């Protein structure tokens, strides 16, 4: 776990999943709301840390949608109801995530349908 601060934005890094994906918790100090970036599995561990910090999940964001960056999205969305946000160009990776994980020898829960698509410049 690594934490760093800049201004009043706080960032904490967690290593999650079988490929030790960097997952980030990002929140504004005092806001009570956190964005989870790249939840590469271990939804329970991520939620445990969010709870320890006393935060509420505002959104689940993927920097890109390789399976090791979105494997925990379904569990997080089910537990929190937070929107799952991806880049519009990565939709096919979400659809193929379970098969892609199998090709690497992993089983993951089917990722949720994205709630919001962002595009370059957003």
């Amino acid at each position: 776990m690594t934490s760093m601060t800049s201004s009043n934005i706080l960032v904490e890094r967690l290593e999650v999943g079988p490929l030790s994906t960097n997952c980030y918790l990002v929140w504004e100090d005092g806001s009570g709301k956190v964005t989870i970036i790249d939840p590469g599995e271990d939804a329970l561990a991520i939620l445990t840390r969010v709870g320890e910090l006393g935060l509420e999940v505002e959104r689940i964001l993927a920097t890109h949608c390789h399976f090791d960056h979105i494997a925990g999205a379904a569990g997080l969305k089910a537990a929190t109801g937070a929107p799952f946000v991806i880049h519009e160009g990565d939709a096919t990776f979400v659809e193929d995530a379970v098969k892609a994980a199998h090709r690497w020898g992993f089983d993951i829960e089917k990722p949720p349908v994205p709630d919001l698509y962002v595009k370059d410049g957003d």
Side-chain angles (χ1 to χ4, degrees), residues 1 3 10-14 25-27 29 32-34 46-56:
M1 221 177 309
S3 296
L10 302 169
V11 178
E12 186 165 316
R13 182 181 63 84
L14 307 169
L25 306 179
V26 180
W27 70 101
D29 193 23
K33 298 195 183 276
V34 65
I46 296 168
L47 289 170
T48 298
R49 184 61 186 143
V50 167
E52 291 170 352
L53 293 167
L55 300 170
E56 176 186 346

Side-chain angles (χ1 to χ4, degrees), residues 19-40:
L19 298 178
S20 297
T21 300
N22 289 319
C23 171
Y24 296 93
L25 306 179
V26 180
W27 70 101
E28 185 175 3
D29 193 23
S31 74
K33 298 195 183 276
V34 65
T35 296
I36 299 172
I37 302 173
D38 291 340

Side-chain angles (χ1 to χ4, degrees), residues 48-112:
T48 298
R49 184 61 186 143
V50 167
E52 291 170 352
L53 293 167
L55 300 170
E56 176 186 346
V57 179
E58 184 172 33
R59 73 182 61 82
I60 305 155
L61 175 69
T63 59
H64 65 284
C65 292
H66 291 159
F67 77 89
D68 61 313
H69 284 250
I70 61 171
L76 291 169
K77 182 163 179 60
T80 67
F84 178 45
V85 183
I86 71 166
H87 186 273
E88 63 183 353
D90 273 2
T92 58
F93 289 102
V94 174
E95 295 165 9
D96 186 55
V98 171
K99 289 179 185 175
H102 285 161
R103 289 191 294 270
W104 281 73
F106 300 110
D107 289 318
I108 66 167
E109 187 175 356
K110 182 179 178 183

